[in-house]
Amino acid sequence: MGFLTISAIGVVMGAIVDSMRAAQLPNEAVHHFLDQLEDGFSQVLYGEPQTLMLGLVFVLRRDVASND
């Protein structure tokens, strides 16, 4: 995966999470979406691409409260 591809995917993922939060979806819905991304990336990617994409999910996840 190229840097621009990873950057673009990160922007799209961030925009989706931001839109979910702006729509006032429960945090559990956002975490479910992020769980699905983690599962998908773990199933189809390996090595450095997997590490980078899972890192993006981690960055997005840390901004969503887990105790709501």
Side-chain angles (χ1 to χ4, degrees):
M1 267 192 211
F3 176 75
L4 290 177
T5 302
I6 291 171
S7 297
I9 292 170
V11 168
V12 170
M13 288 168 39
I16 291 168
V17 169
D18 188 52
S19 295
M20 293 172 80
R21 296 181 76 204
Q24 299 180 349
L25 292 177
N27 287 337
E28 67 182 35
V30 179
H31 281 290
H32 178 75
F33 170 72
L34 295 172
D35 289 343
Q36 295 300 307
L37 283 177
E38 274 184 339
D39 291 346
F41 290 147
S42 294
Q43 290 176 16
V44 300
L45 299 174
Y46 59 92
E48 186 178 8
Q50 182 187 56
T51 302
L52 290 169
M53 297 315 293
L54 293 177
L56 286 171
V57 172
F58 173 79
V59 167
L60 293 171
R61 188 182 298 279
R62 72 176 187 199
D63 289 335
V64 180
S66 61
N67 60 350
D68 285 359

